[in-house]
Amino acid sequence: PAGIKCGGVLSAPSGNFSSPNFPGLYPYDTECTWLIVVAEGSSVLLTFSHFDLEYHDACGYDYLQVYNGVTRDHSNLLGTFCGHHPPPSFTSSWHVLAVIFHSDKHVASHGFAASYRRDVCGGELTALSGEITSPDYPENYPNNAECRWSIRAAVGTSVRLVFADFQVENDEECSFDYVALFDGATAAAPRLGPAGPRGSPARCLEICPVFFLLYFQAGECQEVYTAIRGNFSSPQYPNFYPNNLRCQWTIQLPPGYRVKVFFLDLELEGRSS
């Protein structure tokens, strides 16, 4: 309705926002968009403390949507929510997160309350590709920091990691500062990395950085093909691909073969955009 103001750009390192009139009933026929923008190189951690929207099986009446980025492309949609159960916490794959609240002309509930903060150290990453940096990159990271990132990929797919920048502290055993990689969701999973002295398991990945920049690619954003012929496409084709992708496909055939690649369809952002 006219006079109802909601949404806006949230650029502080942390803050709170809620549906109009919270904890009272939100107004009918309203749409609000909050754009959360934090410093580049960090991510947004979003959590919900209260949640009460009109329930519908497909959330077709009143709903809240969370987008990984500024655009309202379905490919960037992290989830659509309604009812009485709060959404899970979200960690964006870059420094922008959008939240949209929509109500229709019938049935009002109490709405939601949420908080966000700049998350420079750890989090769960569910995007197809992205980057991870040490806190305050490219400056030195602070003392006594312990960051844990979990990269989620679809079942049956792999994750590719590429270190693009790091400085190494002069410590052969990595006993002070280190980066450790695990092939699983917890530190109890097998470690990844080179073997240590005399073939013993490595204590860390032999990378002890003052700062680092790491790119990751997961699932359909990176594959290795060994079949004689096949097809591959951009993520979520023929729908729009997500923002901020860095994908890599590798074709490996036996010696003596040549590789021919034919593009059947191509539509990317133009130079003048």
Side-chain angles (χ1 to χ4, degrees):
I4 293 295
K5 293 184 178 181
C6 60
V9 178
L10 307 175
S11 56
S14 63
N16 304 280
F17 61 100
S18 58
S19 52
N21 298 336
F22 182 85
L25 301 180
Y26 51 75
Y28 301 127
D29 198 19
T30 300
E31 184 158 301
C32 317
T33 299
W34 291 270
L35 192 64
I36 306 171
V37 183
V38 297
E40 290 191 31
S42 48
S43 58
V44 179
L45 175 62
L46 176 68
T47 57
F48 293 87
S49 56
H50 297 86
F51 195 82
D52 179 20
L53 272 64
E54 178 187 7
Y55 176 78
H56 178 255
D57 285 345
C59 294
Y61 301 145
D62 299 349
Y63 59 80
L64 181 138
Q65 293 180 319
V66 181
Y67 285 87
N68 189 29
V70 299
T71 59
R72 199 169 176 172
D73 291 341
H74 182 74
S75 57
N76 291 329
L77 180 64
L78 298 177
T80 300
F81 306 95
C82 61
H84 310 295
H85 297 290
S89 296
F90 290 98
T91 301
S92 64
S93 62
W94 64 312
H95 69 291
V96 181
L97 198 70
V99 178
I100 296 175
F101 166 72
H102 172 88
S103 66
D104 64 5
K105 300 179 184 295
H106 311 281
V107 185
S109 297
H110 292 279
F112 72 92
S115 62
Y116 75 92
R117 65 177 173 86
R118 176 190 175 199
D119 189 10
V120 299
C121 191
E124 181 171 312
L125 305 175
T126 56
L128 293 176
S129 74
E131 64 180 48
I132 299 171
T133 63
S134 52
D136 300 329
Y137 177 86
E139 304 297 327
N140 289 358
Y141 53 69
N143 292 326
N144 299 313
E146 181 169 325
C147 309
R148 295 172 181 261
W149 290 272
S150 177
I151 303 172
R152 300 286 181 177
V155 175
T157 62
S158 59
V159 177
R160 183 174 185 265
L161 304 176
V162 178
F163 282 89
D165 190 14
F166 65 88
Q167 282 194 6
V168 178
E169 182 180 0
N170 187 21
D171 173 33
E172 294 181 359
E173 296 296 323
C174 290
S175 55
F176 301 121
D177 298 350
Y178 61 87
V179 171
L181 303 182
F182 298 90
D183 188 15
T186 68
R191 280 186 189 263
L192 300 175
R198 299 185 181 86
S200 61
R203 296 184 57 216
C204 65
L205 193 64
E206 304 282 346
I207 299 174
C208 310
V210 177
F211 58 73
F212 69 87
L213 168 62
L214 168 66
Y215 296 114
F216 70 87
Q217 298 150 345
E220 58 183 316
C221 200
Q222 68 94 24
E223 296 284 355
V224 177
Y225 298 104
T226 57
I228 300 300
R229 60 177 57 87
N231 300 283
F232 61 96
S233 60
S234 55
Q236 302 180 14
Y237 177 86
N239 297 317
F240 290 156
Y241 51 77
N243 290 328
N244 300 298
L245 289 181
R246 182 187 293 262
C247 299
Q248 177 173 314
W249 295 275
T250 303
I251 301 172
Q252 294 180 346
L253 298 181
Y257 280 89
R258 290 188 304 166
V259 177
K260 288 186 177 181
V261 178
F262 300 91
F263 288 88
L264 305 177
D265 189 14
L266 181 64
E267 182 182 357
L268 307 178
E269 180 181 12
R271 290 179 179 270
S272 60
S273 299

